[in-house]
């Protein structure tokens, strides 16, 4: 009996052996899947990195533009100071003139008061001029990482006598309005205004917090010596740090 396979059977076996030997092994398939996964992860990481770079560049550009806007706002304040200073100096010149029917003591009190106001205005003008010339955007942020920390910061300043650089709360994009600048430029205010600030903000209680799209939040707080009235503060997140935009009574 012929024990060798027939020619058709032998051809079929060769074909099967050929197909089996040419196919990828299990190890090769696993390696290919791993390589594909790594490539997908690399592509995803590159997309995220590109997105973060674009956001960072946009943030820096906004801060550069904001620095210009901040200097313009401070210049407007300085112009207001200059006008007040000129008006007070004219009043002082008039007060120094002798006038009939005017007591010497009254004249001296008027002159002393005007001199004090002029001294304050000149000092404020110098400080504003320095702030305008030295202001640079702080790309590292102010270290205030959430809205509650900003409120605590302001409250601690009030409790410690109002001596602190609150200008770190100025929005680096340049959107802090005059109501916010009143808080941020505390160091430039006269002593009476500082005392009002201390009384108003040394005991703050938070009523509510509302986060909005675009990285802003509105905090409603109770302020005053006995927490007798409310204010709403509009804050903004810029690159992870929080800043003050607006303060309004409720």
């Amino acid at each position: 009996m012929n024990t060798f396979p027939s020619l058709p059977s032998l051809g079929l076996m060769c074909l099967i052996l050929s197909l089996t030997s040419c196919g990828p092994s299990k190890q090769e398939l696993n390696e290919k899947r791993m390589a594909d996964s790594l490539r997908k992860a690399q592509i995803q990481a590159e997309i995220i990195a590109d997105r973060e770079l674009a956001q960072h560049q946009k943030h820096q550009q906004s801060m550069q533009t904001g620095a210009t806007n901040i200097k313009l706002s401070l210049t407007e304040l300085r112009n207001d100071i200059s006008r007040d200073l000129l008006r007070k100096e004219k009043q002082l010149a008039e007060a120094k003139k002798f006038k009939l029917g005017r007591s010497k003591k009254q004249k001296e009190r008027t002159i002393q008061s005007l001199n004090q106001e002029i001294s304050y205005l000149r000092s404020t003008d110098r400080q504003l001029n320095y702030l305008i010339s030295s202001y640079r955007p702080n790309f590292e942020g102010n270290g205030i990482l959430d809205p509650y920390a900003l409120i605590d910061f302001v409250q601690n300043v009030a409790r410690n006598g109002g001596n602190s650089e609150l200008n770190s709360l100025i929005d680096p994009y340049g959107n802090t309005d005059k109501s916010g600048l009143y808080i941020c430029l505390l160091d430039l205010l006269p002593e009476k205004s500082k005392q009002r600030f201390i009384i108003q903000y040394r005991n703050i209680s938070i009523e509510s917090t509302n986060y909005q799209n675009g990285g802003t939040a509105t905090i409603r707080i109770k302020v005053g010596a006995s927490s007798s009235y409310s204010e709403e503060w509009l804050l903004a997140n810029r690159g992870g740090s929080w800043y003050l935009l607006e303060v309004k009574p409720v």
Side-chain angles (χ1 to χ4, degrees):
M1 179 182 292
N2 186 4
T3 59
F4 293 96
S6 62
L7 288 177
S9 298
L10 182 61
L12 180 61
M13 289 176 65
C14 290
L15 178 61
I16 292 171
L17 289 172
S18 175
L19 291 172
T20 304
S21 63
C22 291
S25 66
K26 185 176 180 180
Q27 180 179 354
E28 288 174 333
L29 289 172
N30 288 336
E31 289 175 352
K32 184 177 184 302
R33 280 194 293 268
M34 289 180 64
D36 289 343
S37 297
L38 289 172
R39 180 56 184 162
K40 288 179 181 178
Q42 183 180 1
I43 292 172
Q44 187 65 25
E46 290 173 354
I47 292 172
I48 293 173
D50 289 342
R51 186 184 301 128
E52 289 178 348
L53 177 61
Q55 290 175 345
H56 179 68
Q57 290 174 339
K58 182 180 179 181
H59 173 61
Q60 287 194 323
Q61 184 179 6
S62 296
M63 291 187 75
Q64 294 286 4
T65 303
T68 301
N69 293 336
I70 289 168
K71 289 185 177 184
L72 287 174
S73 297
L74 295 176
T75 300
E76 289 179 5
L77 288 176
R78 192 183 178 206
N79 290 338
D80 291 341
I81 293 291
S82 297
R83 284 190 288 270
D84 286 344
L85 180 58
L86 182 61
R87 181 168 54 86
K88 294 296 181 182
E89 287 175 339
K90 288 182 178 179
Q91 291 177 2
L92 179 61
E94 288 294 323
K96 287 181 177 180
K97 294 178 182 178
F98 178 78
K99 293 183 179 179
L100 294 175
R102 187 178 185 183
S103 70
K104 183 178 179 180
K105 287 185 178 181
Q106 181 183 2
K107 178 180 178 180
E108 289 175 349
R109 284 196 299 267
T110 300
I111 292 174
Q112 182 182 15
S113 176
L114 287 169
N115 277 326
Q116 289 174 348
E117 292 182 59
I118 289 171
S119 176
Y120 161 72
L121 290 171
R122 286 175 177 168
S123 174
T124 303
D125 179 72
R126 287 192 299 269
Q127 292 180 71
L128 277 172
N129 183 46
Y130 173 77
L131 192 57
I132 292 167
S133 62
S134 64
Y135 182 83
R136 300 290 185 276
N138 181 5
F139 295 110
E140 300 301 321
N142 60 13
I144 298 176
L145 303 182
D146 62 69
Y148 302 104
L150 188 148
I151 298 298
D152 285 342
F153 179 62
V154 172
Q155 181 173 249
N156 288 334
V157 169
R159 289 179 175 179
N160 292 326
N163 296 316
S164 180
E165 293 185 357
L166 284 171
N167 56 27
S168 64
L169 301 183
I170 296 176
D171 176 28
Y173 290 7
N175 294 325
T176 301
D177 70 0
K178 286 187 176 181
S179 66
L181 287 175
Y182 171 81
I183 302 291
C184 299
L185 299 179
L186 175 67
D187 290 342
L188 303 183
L189 297 179
E191 191 59 33
K192 287 183 179 180
S193 297
K194 286 184 179 180
Q195 291 304 315
R196 285 197 295 270
F197 170 89
I198 290 171
I199 293 171
Q200 187 164 342
Y201 296 115
R202 65 187 173 191
N203 292 307
I204 300 175
S205 60
I206 297 175
E207 293 185 286
S208 63
T209 305
N210 181 26
Y211 290 90
Q212 293 98 28
N213 293 330
T216 61
T218 300
I219 291 191
R220 187 179 178 121
I221 59 176
K222 283 282 190 181
V223 297
S226 56
S227 298
S228 54
Y229 63 98
S230 299
E231 289 181 348
E232 281 188 353
W233 288 24
L234 179 61
L235 314 179
N237 186 331
R238 310 299 193 196
S241 294
W242 286 85
Y243 300 88
L244 179 60
L245 299 184
E246 179 184 342
V247 175
K248 62 180 180 179
V250 180

